[in-house]
Amino acid sequence: MSSAVDKLMRQGDAADRFDQSHADLRETQIAALDERFQERKDRIKLLRHRADEAGVTEIRGLADVVPLLFPHTAYKSYPESFLIDEKWDRLTKWLGTVSPYPISPVDASRISDIDHWIDQLQANGHYVSCSSGTTGKSAMLLASDKDMAWSRKDTVNVFSWGSGVRPAQDRRMIGVGATAAVPKNLIIADAQRAAFADPDKEPFRLPVPPLTVGTLTHMVVLRKKIADGTALPEELADFERTSKERQETMDKAVIAGAEALVRYREDKLYIAGMWNSLYQVAKIVRDMGYSAKDFHPDNCIYVGGGLKRAQLPDDYQEFVHQTFNIPANRDFQNYSMQELNSGMPKCQKGDRYHVPPWIVPFILDEAGDTLLPHESGEIEGRAAFFDLSLDGRWGGIITGDKISLDFDPCACGAKGPSIRNNIVRYADIKGDDKIGCAGTVDAYVRGLS
């Protein structure tokens, strides 16, 4: 007999996967959640701890899942000294508290830096992706070979559904962003190229060095030292020099991106980036005297991530679209995060992000402790999700986002759950964000590592 998880996951390629109502999905989703819990409760140390604390032995309803959700900060709960002092053996042990698969100990004396450490883990089937750390420490997120395979498939399906672009290998790829060169991002970029890029047209990406996990964590560690007042004079000088060089490189790269877009303006383009870089490139293209009338009429755009606290004019989206001649039906936006393994594409008509059947959404109170009653209509609160597609770590996460989740049909016709396009971070509203269970989780994980 097919499992409940398999039943939901098989819908990954279905054209009507967003057309099943919350009520129709609920029984299968609860069965799938319990299935995952029973499989993983004795394999993930932090999950076992959370379950024992809450007295949860089975999942019979969504409320039973809430105490089992991990705060997003759980993946930042490693002591910073592990990075600063390059204690790779201790960092490996910490990863073991959130992994469902055994991770063999590493010989720290043989590891040269964090990128080498990550390469060693990847060689054994453990893929570590790292968040950008825009609000402090970087999250370290484990994934498996199964997760990489799912990301490869899901990213193409999500983009095709949200943009209407078929994977016909008929576009020139133009990348104007500088995303982190972590396993998940690399897999997604490769899958997008394979599906949508014309193999006879060389892709363009900004001429900037790859942003590796080592680069990201070095910046995080140095920012921490500067904030604590422990940075040495030579480290401060190096930070200032590196920051200046990075900015100069990016300024030149943005100009190169604008020139490439103008050079290839008659091609059918697939333009990818984050809003800040897209807007900066669009301004230069306008200054060069080009706009929508000069570009192919069937261009498409892939926007990854939010504003990341960039300050842009109110009409920044329209400005980008009107510069590169992006038709309304080719504008792709996706709600996801490094902590999830699947995307939630935004529809054109309803301006809402659609939740697939294998992601179970929850609306919690601001503290993240209590599930808010919700059977129909729209409700606002802290977002939490359980991504049943995740294999390499626990799929339940409490996010830092405030969202509006709707169980009624969307204007686009889809009957499944959808999220209004008004997502904000609690940290941006209040200047800080505290999830109720975060302190307990951090203390437990630190004690084991």
Side-chain angles (χ1 to χ4, degrees), residues 152 156 167-170 173 188-199:
R152 182 179 290 278
V156 173
Q169 297 183 318
D170 61 349
M173 309 288 279
I188 286 173
D190 183 67
Q192 292 286 323
R193 281 193 300 271
F196 301 105
D198 185 332

Side-chain angles (χ1 to χ4, degrees), residues 52-95:
D52 288 346
E53 270 198 334
V56 176
T57 58
E58 65 176 318
I59 292 172
R60 292 170 292 185
L62 295 182
D64 295 328
V65 184
V66 175
L68 307 178
L69 299 171
F70 293 179
H72 65 93
T73 54
Y75 297 104
K76 305 178 183 182
S77 60
Y78 54 89
E80 286 171 310
S81 62
F82 290 2
L83 284 180
I84 295 171
D85 299 330
E86 300 185 343
K87 297 178 180 178
W88 310 122
D89 52 343
R90 301 293 298 278
L91 199 55
T92 303
K93 186 178 179 182
W94 169 81
L95 274 180

Side-chain angles (χ1 to χ4, degrees), residues 181-217:
V182 298
K184 182 179 177 181
N185 290 350
L186 295 173
I187 284 287
I188 286 173
D190 183 67
Q192 292 286 323
R193 281 193 300 271
F196 301 105
D198 185 332
D200 295 326
K201 294 180 178 178
E202 185 179 357
F204 173 87
R205 61 176 295 275
L206 291 186
V208 295
L211 194 59
T212 67
V213 173
T215 306
L216 287 169
T217 54

Side-chain angles (χ1 to χ4, degrees), residues 193-361:
R193 281 193 300 271
F196 301 105
D198 185 332
D200 295 326
K201 294 180 178 178
E202 185 179 357
F204 173 87
R205 61 176 295 275
L206 291 186
V208 295
L211 194 59
T212 67
V213 173
T215 306
L216 287 169
T217 54
H218 177 72
M219 290 190 294
V220 169
V221 168
L222 197 50
R223 282 202 299 263
K224 172 67 173 174
K225 286 185 174 182
I226 292 171
D228 292 344
T230 59
L232 299 173
E234 55 267 31
E235 289 178 318
L236 288 171
D238 181 64
F239 178 77
E240 291 174 359
R241 178 185 56 80
T242 302
S243 297
K244 181 181 178 182
E245 289 175 353
R246 187 178 293 117
Q247 188 60 55
E248 289 173 350
T249 299
M250 182 56 70
D251 290 344
K252 292 176 182 177
V254 168
I255 294 171
E259 291 172 343
L261 281 157
V262 170
R263 183 164 62 251
Y264 300 128
R265 64 188 180 277
E266 295 180 1
D267 290 346
K268 185 158 59 171
L269 301 177
Y270 173 121
I271 305 169
M274 296 179 68
W275 279 121
N276 188 35
S277 58
L278 288 164
Y279 179 76
Q280 302 306 327
V281 171
K283 279 175 57 181
I284 296 171
V285 169
R286 291 287 188 102
D287 290 342
M288 293 169 70
Y290 298 92
S291 61
K293 61 180 174 48
D294 302 299
F295 285 85
H296 194 283
D298 193 27
N299 289 338
C300 66
I301 190 169
Y302 185 122
V303 180
L307 289 176
K308 300 293 185 186
R309 301 187 174 180
Q311 300 298 312
L312 298 179
D314 291 341
D315 66 343
Y316 67 93
Q317 295 190 25
E318 292 82 359
F319 185 84
V320 170
H321 292 158
Q322 291 166 11
T323 300
F324 301 124
N325 202 17
I326 308 295
N329 65 336
R330 291 291 186 255
D331 170 34
F332 173 78
Q333 294 183 50
N334 184 43
Y335 178 45
S336 191
M337 55 199 72
Q338 286 284 354
E339 289 83 358
L340 298 179
N341 199 38
S342 305
M344 293 172 268
K346 186 163 73 68
C347 68
Q348 306 295 335
K349 190 171 182 180
D351 195 38
R352 288 178 174 274
Y353 298 98
H354 287 265
V355 186
W358 55 90
I359 292 185
V360 185

Side-chain angles (χ1 to χ4, degrees), residues 18-38:
F18 299 111
D19 202 31
Q20 299 174 68
S21 71
H22 163 71
D24 290 340
L25 289 169
R26 181 162 50 186
E27 183 177 342
T28 305
Q29 286 180 334
I30 290 172
L33 289 165
D34 186 58
E35 187 180 306
R36 269 286 189 259
F37 173 61
Q38 301 303 334

